[in-house]
Amino acid sequence: MRIFLFLFLSFWAVVSAEAQQVASYFVSMPAALLPQIDTNRRKDMLDYYRESQQSVVSNLFGGESSLLSLSDDYLAVSLSSKSTMQIKLLPLRGGETQLIAVVNTVCAPACDSRIDFYDTDWQPLKRETYFPVPDDADFLSEYFKNEEPVLEAVRKIDISLMQYCFSAENTTLRVYSTFEDYMPEEISGTIKPFVKKWIEYVWDGRRFSKRKLL
């Protein structure tokens, strides 16, 4: 019985350690990358979330921040009423090490995101090594890519705004074009029929590659 209890507790200790992995990086994140929330407030947010309480804290900018989602490799936090942050742990091929991907999104009102990559010591890595940043043409359906009238319509997107969303369940990344949220409807309506709702990227252990979706 004692051996069984020991093995049971050991198993859950391992599971718990894995589940807290992304949380530990959230706590250790340098203040330069997350100035709104100091270390103690980050710990409070995690404690509130684990206790199924409302994980809202006052941040250092005079507003409120809250923890939205937490799993073993994914964390999402609302930094303010207009900004969010996602932290995703990405396994490197071989499984011995991992990367930290951070997505910051600001919505005012159209959402726009930036993705950055770090090693586990929070040293910055080159974005282009791991992610091919898309442009508006990447959202064109394959059926229309060589049609000049369609290309002309897409050129009306004068500001490239995109929202990045990690999956909490796996390592895929979806990128949404948010041109509809800032362009007049009479213009965005002429573009919408020719573009995809999102582009999906798949992590292969080294970098993200675009998954073909029509």
Side-chain angles (χ1 to χ4, degrees):
M1 182 66 181
R2 290 182 179 179
I3 294 176
F4 173 79
L5 180 60
F6 174 78
L7 293 175
F8 178 81
L9 293 176
S10 298
F11 168 78
W12 281 109
V14 171
V15 171
S16 178
E18 291 178 350
Q20 304 309 315
Q21 190 173 31
V22 73
S24 67
Y25 289 119
F26 175 62
V27 172
S28 67
M29 193 175 198
L33 301 179
L34 186 53
Q36 298 95 327
I37 314 172
D38 62 25
T39 300
N40 288 332
R41 285 180 173 88
R42 297 179 205 179
K43 292 178 180 178
D44 288 341
M45 295 170 76
L46 292 167
D47 289 340
Y48 296 151
Y49 190 92
R50 291 166 184 149
E51 295 170 4
S52 299
Q53 299 181 23
Q54 191 175 14
S55 58
V56 179
V57 298
S58 298
N59 62 46
L60 301 181
F61 290 177
E64 290 186 338
S65 300
S66 62
L67 187 59
L68 304 174
S69 180
L70 177 65
S71 66
D72 58 340
D73 64 355
Y74 174 79
L75 180 149
V77 58
S78 170
L79 301 178
S80 71
S81 60
K82 295 183 178 180
S83 61
T84 60
M85 173 183 284
Q86 300 170 68
I87 303 176
K88 183 73 175 181
L89 302 185
L90 299 169
L92 288 172
R93 190 168 295 179
E96 297 178 358
T97 57
Q98 56 192 0
L99 297 181
I100 306 172
V102 178
V103 169
N104 281 284
T105 301
V106 176
C107 300
C111 295
D112 191 37
S113 298
R114 173 188 173 91
I115 187 169
D116 293 288
F117 297 91
Y118 303 88
D119 65 18
T120 52
D121 292 321
W122 284 111
Q123 295 302 305
L125 303 170
K126 290 184 178 180
R127 182 187 303 111
E128 57 269 24
T129 301
Y130 304 101
F131 180 68
V133 178
D135 59 27
D136 295 316
D138 288 316
F139 286 88
L140 272 176
S141 172
E142 302 296 332
Y143 295 122
F144 304 111
K145 279 205 168 182
N146 296 318
E147 296 188 18
E148 185 56 35
V150 176
L151 295 175
E152 184 60 33
V154 173
R155 292 189 189 107
K156 295 178 182 178
I157 303 177
D158 54 349
I159 305 175
S160 293
L161 301 181
M162 302 176 193
Q163 184 175 11
Y164 298 174
C165 297
F166 271 114
S167 169
E169 288 76 33
N170 52 54
T171 56
T172 59
L173 173 68
R174 281 188 176 181
V175 180
Y176 297 82
S177 178
T178 59
F179 69 89
E180 290 183 73
D181 296 329
Y182 80 89
M183 295 184 72
E185 186 175 353
E186 60 269 21
I187 298 178
S188 64
T190 64
I191 302 170
K192 186 177 178 180
F194 309 118
V195 299
K196 309 166 191 175
K197 292 183 178 180
W198 66 76
I199 305 172
E200 191 165 88
Y201 290 85
V202 180
W203 178 253
D204 66 3
R206 291 182 178 174
R207 61 183 279 109
F208 281 103
S209 58
K210 186 167 61 175
R211 176 178 287 167
K212 288 187 177 181
L213 293 173
L214 298 181

